[in-house]
Amino acid sequence: MGERSIEDQLASISPDELKVVHTLKQKWESQKKVPHEFDDAMYLRFARCSPGPKKFNVETAWKVMKKYDGRYLKLSAEALEDQLLTKTLFIPPGLKCRDGNECFYMKPARYFPKKTPTSTIIDNLAYCMSVMVEKERSCTEGIGFVANMDDWTFTNFSVSYCLNFMKMLQGRIPVRVRLFLIVNPPSWFGSIWDVMKPMLAKDFQKKVHIIHASQLCEFLGEGYEQFLPNELEGGMANPEEIVNDFITLRKAAESGHLKHSAAQ
């Protein structure tokens, strides 16, 4: 709602930035075998979210494009409904970092690597981050991530799951994660952090903060409590209502989009 069209967004960026978008599009579409098709919104997203200190970087954006799994283009709320209903990872509307960037939320204790394939939680992550960067602000400025570590045990961890998850946060899809809050980790989390840390680029490590819930006010926007899931200290929002509303809204939006695509 209130979002500018991709045409308007492209018209508003600088000539140099537009050249990067056109370069990525030409480079992608001139391959002998094009793995999957992107629309202009995706080319702009790859350019805006190019890893590194500078946006609109052809070289780093191209690396993300080459690693991008085309399956993510077809993810939907309907296909992921069962996973979304686990309330493991979702987007609480209104939850923002202090700088105004939107945040997604995860309760890692709800994920069990031995019961659910890694690909399922990775698809959940890819889908939610992709939905967030459909918004111009999130695509341009980035997003945050709040991980509620309450009730988390070793049964919720595996190295391969952790590695794939960290890769997704750092360049497997076009998104800039600006803040990663690890909230209320168990006392022995240090041994897990020793495994995780080498999976993160040096600049990404600076975005990670291991904190107690009482410190959330230092990182999240004013009034965050009303948007934070109530299963985390200070939160007032109902996770079940958040997820159910999200699924309903996304199904409606995606069914309209699919009908539109089929008519073209």
Side-chain angles (χ1 to χ4, degrees):
M1 295 174 70
E3 291 290 314
R4 296 194 299 169
S5 68
I6 293 302
E7 291 74 22
D8 286 346
Q9 291 182 46
L10 288 168
S12 70
I13 61 179
S14 73
D16 284 346
E17 290 172 341
L18 188 59
K19 184 179 178 182
V20 169
V21 176
H22 287 160
T23 299
L24 291 172
K25 182 175 183 176
Q26 188 276 329
K27 193 173 181 180
W28 185 260
E29 294 179 359
S30 64
Q31 296 179 97
K32 282 186 177 180
K33 185 177 180 181
V34 179
H36 31 264
E37 293 182 8
F38 295 128
D39 58 15
D40 286 345
M42 283 297 291
Y43 289 121
L44 178 58
R45 195 180 297 177
F46 281 115
R48 274 182 172 153
C49 300
S50 51
K54 191 179 176 184
K55 302 174 190 174
F56 291 91
N57 181 314
V58 171
E59 185 179 340
T60 59
W62 181 249
K63 288 179 181 178
V64 179
M65 291 173 76
K66 292 292 282 183
K67 291 176 182 175
Y68 186 85
D69 188 335
R71 287 188 318 104
Y72 300 147
L73 294 168
K74 298 176 182 178
L75 293 177
S76 67
E78 184 171 5
L80 287 170
E81 184 167 5
D82 288 347
Q83 171 59 26
L84 291 169
L85 286 171
T86 66
K87 303 186 293 293
T88 304
L89 192 157
F90 54 92
I91 308 165
L95 187 65
K96 296 181 180 180
C97 309
R98 278 209 152 190
D99 56 13
N101 295 339
E102 292 190 328
C103 296
F104 67 96
Y105 169 92
M106 184 176 185
K107 181 80 184 285
R110 292 196 174 109
Y111 176 70
F112 296 90
K114 289 185 177 179
K115 294 181 181 177
T116 305
T118 298
S119 59
T120 302
I121 190 67
I122 296 301
D123 284 355
N124 188 167
L125 172 63
Y127 179 68
C128 285
M129 292 199 296
S130 296
V131 167
M132 292 175 81
V133 293
E134 286 176 3
K135 293 184 178 179
E136 183 177 358
R137 157 85 201 217
S138 294
C139 188
T140 305
E141 302 299 333
I143 61 175
F145 174 25
V146 178
N148 171 9
M149 302 297 287
D150 286 340
D151 310 317
W152 192 81
T153 71
F154 271 118
T155 62
N156 305 115
F157 177 80
S158 80
V159 174
S160 70
Y161 145 59
C162 186
L163 178 61
N164 280 286
F165 201 96
M166 295 307 128
K167 283 180 178 179
M168 287 297 290
L169 298 177
Q170 302 176 94
R172 285 297 190 269
I173 65 171
V175 62
R176 283 174 167 253
V177 177
R178 297 294 196 183
L179 177 69
F180 180 4
L181 299 179
I182 299 175
V183 188
N184 293 349
S187 58
W188 43 267
F189 184 73
S191 59
I192 300 298
W193 179 238
D194 288 342
V195 175
M196 285 176 63
K197 196 172 180 181
M199 299 175 182
L200 304 173
K202 287 283 192 291
D203 65 324
F204 195 90
Q205 290 176 20
K206 297 172 186 174
K207 303 173 186 178
V208 181
H209 301 269
I210 302 174
I211 64 170
H212 184 267
S214 61
Q215 298 171 270
L216 283 168
C217 58
E218 299 172 27
F219 300 94
L220 300 182
E222 191 174 346
Y224 73 87
E225 296 92 343
Q226 63 182 306
F227 308 111
L228 185 71
N230 58 18
E231 59 194 15
L232 183 54
E233 181 185 322
M236 299 165 62
N238 184 312
E240 192 163 345
E241 289 179 5
I242 292 172
V243 171
N244 287 337
D245 288 349
F246 174 77
I247 291 171
T248 299
L249 287 169
R250 289 305 300 179
K251 277 185 171 181
E254 288 160 3
S255 104
H257 172 71
L258 291 172
K259 285 174 187 173
H260 174 69
S261 298
Q264 289 184 325

